[in-house]
Amino acid sequence: MSTPAPDPTASFATAQVQAGYVPGTAQNTAVVPIYQSNGYEFPSLAQARDVFALRSLGNVYSRNANPTQAVFEQRIAALEGGRAAVAVSSGQAAAAAAILALASAGDHVVAARQLYGGTVDLLSDSLGSLGIEVTYVDQDDTDAWRDAVRPSTRAFFAETITNPLATVLDIRAIADVAHAAGVPLVVDNTVASPYLVRPGEHGADIVIHSATKYIGGHGVALGGVVVDIGSFDFGADPERWPQFTTPYPRFGDLVLWDRFGEQGLALVVYIKTRFVHDFGTTLPAWSSFQLLQGLETLDLRMQRHSASALAVARFLEQHPAVEKVWHPGLASSPWHATAQHYLPRGASSVFSFDLASTGDVDADDRRVEQVIDALRVIRLVANIGDARSMVNHPASMTHLHLTGDQLREAGISPRTIRLSIGLEDEADLIADLAQALA
């Protein structure tokens, strides 16, 4: 590696800040480097002006983007079969950015009622307070999706595999209804990951992830990502999508769809320059690096996760203390055929089971607590999708904010226990569950 010659005329103070480094110098590292810099040096004011005005693309400031993050975005977009991606600070930030890019005050979203509890909080409370209305429907009822559409509808939103019951979305059926209504289908693919299914191949237009989960896989870095598959034409109905088809006020007469539509960058540029820029939902360079490390073993991990989870589900299904197992890999699951169609490589490792009822609500609550507290290998952690196996009680933890009616509509009872099966030996996990259920 060549290094710049020291400047013998530089003062001590100048040398301690600038010596030994020339901005823009390429290095032959085999691994993606961590670009740990808040700002970026421009070779001229003319080039700085072009980048700030979006006449050309480049690094501006690490609140908006970072070169390590850019590699992560490109890699996720490639794995999902998308045109472009934007990485943000968490999965929740990704969901918020995707919806806010499509809908504003007075607009409407149709969403599956089987969503993760935190996403329901986001849609109903935070986005609701901004004037975005949401109608929840049974994800398996295509007529309900169709009937919920209004002139103000701007998006359909669902999950490929739901958390906690592992119901499986018929992506193509819901995408067809969305497209007939003239709106994109946004799919949260966190639980499945792009290794198990690529929703864009089945009609989804925008795919989001909590990269905190399986993409990272190690449980040490938060992150989220929005992928534009590039299948939705915002220019086909320009009056419905003024944010893309009319001049963007921040950049004079620039029209995002005219400038970036053909490249598949309009959506991600809009998210970066508005929501990431304004709200600071930045994915740090260090977190981008950590997520890239996890991503390199995604296929190997998802195979192990899925196989072990199915083995555990089969054990639970025959256990007398268990009333119901919610795993789409089981032939008894209502979503078994859908899973076979969309998830031939496996159904991931997040699923739930219901303990058999004693007939007494208080006794059932004590039984749930006893089972969870007796687990030793499987840990009580409010997370999914990393190397460790984890247990959760949805009704009092991740879905606590849902009303009783919402819990019942989502199929979650006080006796529902969620598992996220990790990479431990499946025999150890089964033995742990056996002793806890005993």
Side-chain angles (χ1 to χ4, degrees):
M1 180 181 71
S2 60
T3 57
D7 181 358
T9 66
S11 67
F12 185 90
T14 300
Q16 72 183 2
V17 174
Q18 297 190 5
Y21 179 65
V22 177
T25 302
Q27 306 295 339
N28 59 329
T29 60
V31 176
V32 180
I34 303 169
Y35 290 92
Q36 197 70 42
S37 178
N38 292 341
Y40 302 91
E41 183 175 327
F42 296 96
S44 68
L45 179 57
Q47 291 192 30
R49 284 171 168 162
D50 284 344
V51 173
F52 270 80
L54 292 183
R55 289 187 292 268
S56 63
L57 298 178
N59 298 311
V60 174
Y61 187 63
S62 277
R63 184 174 76 246
N64 294 7
N66 175 280
T68 311
Q69 172 190 331
V71 175
F72 176 65
E73 292 169 340
Q74 292 167 24
R75 196 164 293 180
I76 292 290
L79 293 176
E80 280 288 5
R83 296 290 301 278
V86 53
V88 289
S89 55
S90 68
Q92 195 80 327
I99 296 299
L100 287 170
L102 302 171
S104 56
D107 290 335
H108 173 247
V109 173
V110 185
R113 70 187 185 199
Q114 291 91 341
L115 295 176
Y116 163 64
T119 306
V120 175
D121 291 341
L122 168 69
L123 294 173
S124 297
D125 294 344
S126 295
L127 298 188
S129 69
L130 299 178
I132 299 173
E133 296 185 69
V134 182
T135 299
Y136 294 100
V137 299
D138 182 349
Q139 71 174 32
D140 299 322
D141 187 345
T142 53
D143 289 337
W145 288 92
R146 190 177 294 108
D147 293 343
V149 173
R150 307 174 187 173
S152 58
T153 301
R154 293 295 179 267
F156 281 15
F157 190 98
E159 299 171 3
T160 46
I161 303 175
T162 64
N163 169 11
L165 297 189
T167 63
V168 182
L169 182 71
D170 188 342
I171 306 168
R172 174 57 64 183
I174 307 309
D176 288 346
V177 178
H179 298 157
V183 301
L185 171 61
V186 182
V187 170
D188 185 334
N189 199 31
T190 295
V191 175
S193 86
Y195 175 71
L196 296 180
V197 64
R198 304 209 304 186
E201 294 178 348
H202 305 285
D205 304 290
I206 298 166
V207 177
I208 68 170
H209 286 274
S210 172
T212 310
K213 313 304 192 297
Y214 291 105
I215 284 174
H218 34 50
V220 300
L222 293 174
V225 63
V226 181
V227 182
D228 187 352
I229 300 301
S231 54
F232 192 81
D233 184 0
F234 292 102
D237 187 1
E239 292 185 1
R240 180 177 276 191
W241 310 105
Q243 65 269 50
F244 300 115
T245 60
T246 61
Y248 191 179
R250 298 185 180 195
F251 299 97
D253 60 357
L254 174 74
V255 177
L256 289 173
W257 195 247
D258 293 345
R259 172 69 175 85
F260 298 109
E262 188 173 338
Q263 301 166 260
L265 295 174
L267 177 72
V268 301
V269 168
Y270 184 58
I271 291 174
K272 278 181 180 286
T273 57
R274 186 172 181 192
F275 304 110
V276 177
H277 176 274
D278 290 3
F279 299 150
T281 55
T282 308
L283 183 67
W286 175 241
S287 296
S288 300
F289 175 79
Q290 291 174 308
L291 294 173
L292 280 166
Q293 299 310 296
L295 193 55
E296 292 179 353
T297 60
L298 179 64
D299 62 337
L300 302 176
R301 290 185 287 104
M302 294 311 295
Q303 293 172 40
R304 177 71 171 263
H305 281 301
S306 297
S308 295
L310 183 55
V312 171
R314 286 171 173 158
F315 161 76
L316 290 170
E317 188 176 40
Q318 53 77 44
H319 198 286
V322 174
E323 180 179 289
K324 174 72 177 177
V325 180
W326 303 88
H327 190 295
L330 299 175
S332 59
S333 169
W335 299 276
H336 183 63
T338 310
Q340 287 186 310
H341 175 68
Y342 289 109
L343 302 162
R345 289 175 165 174
S348 194
S349 73
V350 174
F351 70 98
S352 293
F353 64 96
D354 290 355
L355 290 178
S357 178
T358 64
D360 178 86
V361 174
D362 291 336
D364 287 346
D365 284 345
R366 289 193 297 273
R367 178 65 171 147
V368 167
E369 193 169 318
Q370 288 167 353
V371 169
I372 290 176
D373 289 349
L375 292 167
R376 294 293 176 264
V377 179
I378 302 172
R379 307 302 179 89
L380 180 58
V381 180
N383 190 24
I384 61 170
D386 73 29
R388 284 149 290 280
S389 290
M390 294 166 286
V391 64
N392 171 284
H393 183 237
S396 63
M397 293 175 67
T398 52
H399 293 66
L400 171 66
H401 300 156
L402 272 61
T403 65
D405 287 343
Q406 287 176 317
L407 288 170
R408 282 187 291 274
E409 288 177 351
I412 301 169
S413 86
R415 293 177 285 111
T416 300
I417 296 174
R418 187 194 73 189
L419 296 174
S420 174
I421 299 302
L423 303 180
E424 302 94 344
D425 190 306
E426 68 182 47
D428 292 341
L429 300 173
I430 289 172
D432 193 33
L433 283 161
Q435 65 83 23
L437 289 167

